[in-house]
Amino acid sequence: MSQPTRSLVIHLTEAHEGIANSANGRSVRVLQRGALDVVLGTPARPDEQSAHQQDEVYMVVRGRGVLFHDGKRNSFESGDFLFVAAATEHRFEDFSDDLLVWRVFYGPSGGELSRVAHGE
């Protein structure tokens, strides 16, 4: 029986190389541990996401664009950090061809605030 991952360094260059060999050619899962799910990739065109069951963050590695979220539009660029709570409508718009993001799902279904609402 193998030991669960306790620590890890994920190198951007190695993860990026994995995208070309992935099933969709746009993203590669680099870590899944419990509720934590980490992917490196670029959104499809058009980006037609549905609201997710977990809280989500994006860390923009390169590129720029507009995040439509919760009825608002905010521009972003390389180095920016984006947060989208569970069940929040969102998508990328007007993004550059070189957009590359780390996408991280985490926490329980319904988001972290669902724990507070249930007294956890």
Side-chain angles (χ1 to χ4, degrees):
M1 187 168 139
S2 65
Q3 294 292 328
T5 301
R6 292 176 43 92
S7 61
L8 182 64
V9 173
I10 300 170
H11 296 280
L12 176 62
T13 53
E14 292 173 12
H16 191 256
E17 289 170 1
I19 292 174
N21 299 323
S22 68
N24 64 18
R26 292 183 303 97
S27 63
V28 62
R29 177 167 283 109
V30 296
L31 178 64
Q32 191 161 27
R33 186 174 195 271
L36 178 67
D37 182 20
V38 182
V39 168
L40 177 69
T42 188
R45 286 188 191 272
D47 184 27
E48 298 176 343
Q49 297 189 52
S50 56
H52 305 294
Q53 295 301 309
Q54 290 177 281
D55 289 334
E56 179 178 24
V57 297
Y58 297 96
M59 289 155 277
V60 182
V61 175
R62 67 172 185 240
R64 57 162 189 73
V66 173
L67 178 66
F68 172 81
H69 59 111
D70 208 21
K72 303 175 285 204
R73 285 180 170 81
N74 293 103
S75 61
F76 63 83
E77 61 186 22
S78 181
D80 288 349
F81 181 91
L82 317 174
F83 170 76
V84 180
T88 301
E89 180 185 4
H90 66 286
R91 66 180 171 271
F92 292 108
E93 298 179 338
D94 301 323
F95 55 91
S96 59
D97 290 337
D98 66 340
L99 180 62
L100 185 65
V101 297
W102 292 105
R103 189 271 296 147
V104 180
F105 286 133
Y106 68 96
S109 182
E112 287 291 325
L113 289 183
S114 68
R115 285 183 174 173
V116 175
H118 292 100
E120 294 182 26

